[in-house]
Structures are given as structure tokens and as C-alpha cells.
Amino acid sequence: MRKVLLILVLCTAMLSAQEKPGESRFLLRGYAHSGVEVRGDETTFVGGSFNPIFLWRQSDKLLFEAELEVEYENGETLIGLEYANMSYIINDYATLRLGKFLLPFGTFAAKLHPAWINRLSSKPLGFGHDGVGPARDLGVELRGGIPLGEAKMTYSVYMINGPALNDGTNPNVEPEEAGMLLYDLGEDNNNNKAIGGRVSFLPLSNSSMEIGFSGLYGKVGSVESKYEDVAALLYAVDFSYVSKVSFLSGVVDIKAQLNGVRVDDASYFNVEDSSNYSFSNQSSAYYVQMSYRPVNMSTDFLNSLEFVGRYSELSFPEGALWTSDQTQYAFGLNYWVDWRTVVKLSYQFADTGAHESEGEEGEASNDAIFLHWAFGF
Amino acid sequence: MKVKHVKLFLVSVSLFFGALFLASCTPSQAQASKPGALLWGENCVRCHNAPSPSAFSDSQWEVVGKHMRIRASLTADEVDKIVEFLKMAN
């Protein structure tokens, strides 16, 4: 009898020991999306991608986060590392991050791009993988939020490997795109580290409005090349306003961001006529987006709807072989199944300006209809 | 040598005013007394819909809170109140 009691006590003790929470916590989060797209005469299912996010709370001050992007494209499964970094909370207003992280260069790449957060199925012009401005990089960052009476501000300063200049001499990178910046390459092409930061102000007491300013500066040319002193200045301005509007019985969400890139003048090899040429190397992209969700209507169906409109514009340098001026309009109707699950129906059309004036033929249709579903988990 | 002194002086002045600025950075009484439910409604929707408290367990909310504190640059006080509210309401 004593042995049985002892075993029972031991089992109970072991079970209760397992139930004790401990300091460490692991959490798998992420998001997934898929859908169907109609472009011209082509209709195809796309996506089938998911992004698992691994969160490990080592202690009250240490957190590890990593995100993978798993995509199915052209019959292949592609896996990419979006970010993997460790954060150490120094005090109430400062956190140190090391590793590969999403850059606070504006807000779209850092906060708004996940499929269940982005109100439309596509990204604005210039805000995708080959866009104007970086999305992620390797380095070290100090960031935090600071109360200012009724208002608030956030800040971030970081040092990263930085973008690299495509000088046209690497046969593995498009030589006709000489002068373009390449982002997220992993290893640095020189010993100079790029310095950047973002500061934002939330002037209203309910934090409904945020205005942010970002900058990044560094040398971008490869070491021991004639471009080693070529530097680039990148900047961004972002705006956000989210508020309930009583006379509309709903929530209005306005987002906007302008990205700009200025690269020092340099001479590049022209692959089309074997001459050297230069141009004023300035690119920019911006978008303005507005959505409205009638959350205070009489039926759940109406409360779950959301209307979205977005305008975006992209401009690559005039005189470059990769010059381009594009504009895009996108409109969408979303249905929110719950707070993190959405079905998005959208239509977009683009004007590729410069290309059309050059009389290019065989261009894919710029009009597209998307029906996507996305959920966060 | 002179330039070095000027740089040193400028850095010292910047640090002094930076420290003064940080020391004066406090929330107003109205901000400091905001409950977790209000902060949850105000801060989450800046990027995404406000999460349902029942979406995660208490211990999971602690990880989510830590993650959002870093990603959204929330203050410690804001996150503590939001997480407490979510744990209470789930």
C-alpha cells in the first residue's frame, strides 16, 4: 500500500512539475495564402505558399524570431529565410536586435506585407522583391518606443551590410541593369557598413496617426573595383491613419509610403552598343491606400466586408537601360471570416508608360483579377 | 587636435541633451491610466485587426506580447496591460 501511495505521489509530483510554466516558451505562428488569378487570357491557381514564424522566448529579456517563406513556383518548392534574429530587451525603451531582420525602412516591408495583413492580393509597385528600397538585411539594431506626454514616438538605428551596386561586371547579374541596387545578398561586397534608422511620431493620444521618416546611407560599390567609392542614400516617408468614423459606421484605414534611392554618378558599360554611359541614378516609388470596413452595421455579413483602393507609382532612372515609369490602380472587396482569415477579391490595372512609348510587343496584359484567401495563425 | 575637441564637445552635448530628453519622456496621467482593453483596441489595429483574446492561451499570449513589443515598438507598460487584458478575457 505504501509503495502504491509513493508511486501516486511521485506521479502527481511529476505531472505537476510538467505543468509548471517555466521561463522558456515556444510558439509557432505564421501565415499562408493561395488563390486564383486571371491575367488576359490566362487563368491559373497560384500561391500555395506559407510562412511559418518560429518564436522562442528564452527569458523575460531574450526573444528569438525566425520566418521561413515556403513557396511553390514553376513546379518547384522554394524555401527562403525571411529573417532570423535575437532580441535583448535592455530596458523599458530600448531593445537590441542582432541577426537578419526586417528593416524599418518605412512600414510596408517591416509590418504590412504579410498576406493576412496586406489588404490587397498584390504589393504596390516598387515594394516587391526587386523594388525601390530594402526589405531585410543582416546587422545590428537598437529600437524602442518612447512616451511623450499625450503623444508617442518610436525609433530605430541600425548598422547593416547594406545594398550592393550592380556595376554590370558580374555576368550572373543582369548586365543591362547596371546602376541598380541589389538587396539582401547575405555577404557584404565591401568593408563599409550601411547606417540607417527610422523615427516615427504618433501625435494623437489614441495612437491613430503615425508619421515616419527613414534613411539609410552607405557605400555600395565592390571593394577594389572602380566603383568602390560609389555611395547611395535611401530615404522613405510613411503615413498611417486608422480610426473609427461614426458617420460611416465603420473603420477607415489610410496607409501611404514614399521610397527614394539616390546613387552617386558613375559610368557603366552599355551592353547594347559596347559604349560607356552614365545617367542621373535616382529611383522612387510610392503608394497611397485607403480601406473602409463597416463594422457597426446591423448584420454580421456587412460587418465582415471591407472595401479597398490603392494607387502606386514606380519610377526608374531616365537614361538607364532599365528606365521605367509605371502606375497602377488596384481595387478590392474583402470578406473577413474572422480577425485573421480573409477572402480577397481584387482587380488591378497598370500603365507601363515608358515601355509602351517604345512600342514593345508581346507584353503580358497588365490587367488582372485576383481571388485570394489568406490566414494568419 | 582642435577638430577632435569640437567633435568631443558635440558628442558630449548630444549625450547630455539626449539624456535630458529621455529623462523627460513620460506618459501623461491620462495615457498612463489607460486600461489594457483600450490599449489593445488602439495599438493592434495600427497594422492588423485586433486579435480575439481566445486565439491563444495565457502562456502563448506572453510570447505574442513580447514579440509585438519588439516589432511594434510598444512600451513595456503598454504590453503588460494588453497581455493582462487578453489573459483575463480569453
Side-chain angles (χ1 to χ4, degrees):
Chain A
M1 189 64 184
R2 275 185 182 175
K3 280 183 183 175
V4 174
L5 277 174
L6 191 62
I7 289 168
L8 277 173
V9 168
L10 275 174
C11 284
T12 313
M14 282 170 72
L15 282 172
S16 10
Q18 281 175 348
E19 282 165 8
K20 282 183 181 173
E23 260 197 339
S24 305
R25 303 267 195 285
F26 174 72
L27 184 60
L28 178 64
R29 296 201 64 190
Y31 54 94
H33 72 102
S34 186
V36 61
E37 294 184 6
V38 182
R39 288 177 189 269
D41 297 332
E42 286 183 17
T43 302
T44 181
F45 287 100
V46 294
S49 69
F50 85 102
N51 294 49
I53 297 173
F54 304 89
L55 299 174
W56 176 259
R57 198 196 77 150
Q58 181 89 334
S59 69
D60 202 38
K61 285 189 173 290
L62 283 166
L63 182 89
F64 171 80
E65 63 161 1
E67 178 181 330
L68 295 176
E69 185 169 60
V70 185
E71 283 182 301
Y72 184 66
E73 208 173 273
N74 300 324
E76 284 184 63
T77 301
L78 308 169
I79 300 177
L81 180 66
E82 285 285 288
Y83 54 80
N85 60 70
M86 292 142 285
S87 295
Y88 176 73
I89 297 173
I90 298 168
N91 59 37
D92 282 1
Y93 310 116
T95 298
L96 185 70
R97 274 211 295 191
L98 296 113
K100 185 178 185 183
F101 50 86
L102 294 175
L103 291 178
F105 187 76
T107 52
F108 187 84
K111 295 176 182 175
L112 307 174
H113 78 276
W116 73 279
I117 295 176
N118 185 4
R119 297 294 197 261
L120 288 158
S121 301
S122 64
K123 290 172 181 167
L125 286 174
F127 288 80
H129 279 286
D130 293 318
V132 178
R136 58 192 71 76
D137 209 329
L138 284 154
V140 57
E141 179 197 31
L142 186 72
R143 63 186 291 137
I146 300 171
L148 299 170
E150 288 292 308
K152 204 164 70 177
M153 70 170 280
T154 73
Y155 72 91
S156 161
V157 285
Y158 54 83
M159 185 164 66
I160 56 172
N161 283 338
L165 179 73
N166 174 7
D167 56 21
T169 58
N170 184 347
N172 298 322
V173 186
E174 312 290 335
E176 65 274 15
E177 292 181 351
M180 192 181 268
L181 292 185
L182 305 168
Y183 305 105
D184 192 18
L185 293 181
E187 287 185 13
D188 204 349
N189 64 336
N190 55 39
N191 291 324
N192 173 262
K193 299 292 160 240
I195 306 290
R198 175 176 181 267
V199 60
S200 82
F201 297 96
L202 294 93
L204 305 181
S205 61
N206 61 4
S207 300
S208 59
M209 184 188 287
E210 182 176 12
I211 304 164
F213 304 91
S214 311
L216 173 64
Y217 180 80
K219 286 185 179 176
V220 292
S222 296
V223 70
E224 292 179 359
S225 76
K226 70 170 185 172
Y227 302 98
E228 70 177 333
D229 288 327
V230 175
L233 172 68
L234 300 88
Y235 56 90
V237 181
D238 58 87
F239 175 81
S240 169
Y241 180 70
V242 185
S243 183
K244 278 189 178 173
V245 179
S246 52
F247 73 90
L248 289 172
S249 300
V251 175
V252 170
D253 185 335
I254 300 169
K255 297 274 191 291
Q257 185 175 326
L258 163 71
N259 286 2
V261 172
R262 283 167 182 260
V263 182
D264 288 349
D265 288 346
S267 177
Y268 304 100
F269 181 70
N270 186 332
V271 289
E272 292 183 355
D273 61 10
S274 300
S275 66
N276 284 315
Y277 82 119
S278 62
F279 51 89
S280 176
N281 198 345
Q282 296 183 30
S283 303
S284 65
Y286 74 87
Y287 80 93
V288 180
Q289 177 181 292
M290 184 170 164
S291 65
Y292 160 65
R293 187 170 169 195
V295 292
N296 292 327
M297 295 293 181
S298 51
T299 67
D300 285 346
F301 177 76
L302 286 176
N303 289 340
S304 304
L305 292 178
E306 185 177 48
F307 304 88
V308 198
R310 185 185 71 205
Y311 175 77
S312 59
E313 206 170 299
L314 167 67
S315 174
F316 283 140
E318 196 176 332
L321 294 180
W322 40 285
T323 184
S324 180
D325 283 299
Q326 301 177 35
T327 57
Q328 183 196 77
Y329 296 85
F331 303 96
L333 176 64
N334 300 335
Y335 181 80
W336 287 94
V337 179
D338 60 40
W339 67 276
R340 53 184 172 174
T341 309
V342 61
V343 179
K344 302 190 271 193
L345 174 66
S346 57
Y347 170 70
Q348 72 178 38
F349 59 97
D351 177 358
T352 55
H355 293 289
E356 281 182 355
S357 65
E358 289 161 10
E360 286 187 7
E361 290 179 1
E363 262 187 59
S365 168
N366 294 312
D367 292 11
I369 298 171
F370 304 100
L371 179 61
H372 277 210
W373 60 264
F375 70 88
F377 55 85
Chain B
M1 197 66 177
K2 224 175 184 183
V3 176
K4 200 177 172 184
H5 285 157
V6 172
K7 279 183 181 173
L8 198 65
F9 174 74
L10 287 173
V11 169
S12 308
V13 169
S14 305
L15 285 173
F16 175 72
F17 281 105
L20 272 184
F21 172 72
L22 284 174
S24 65
C25 291
T26 51
S28 67
Q29 202 170 354
Q31 289 287 349
S33 60
K34 277 186 179 178
L38 185 59
L39 292 167
W40 163 76
E42 286 180 354
N43 286 285
C44 304
V45 296
R46 281 162 45 198
C47 295
H48 54 72
N49 295 325
S52 162
S54 62
F56 296 107
S57 68
D58 284 6
S59 58
Q60 288 173 331
W61 275 126
E62 285 178 18
V63 186
V64 174
K66 196 70 68 189
H67 189 219
M68 286 299 106
R69 173 177 170 184
I70 295 164
R71 289 291 290 274
S73 295
L74 301 173
T75 63
D77 186 52
E78 286 173 330
V79 170
D80 289 348
K81 285 179 177 175
I82 292 170
V83 170
E84 271 314 302
F85 160 71
L86 290 165
K87 284 160 75 171
M88 194 180 67
N90 69 2

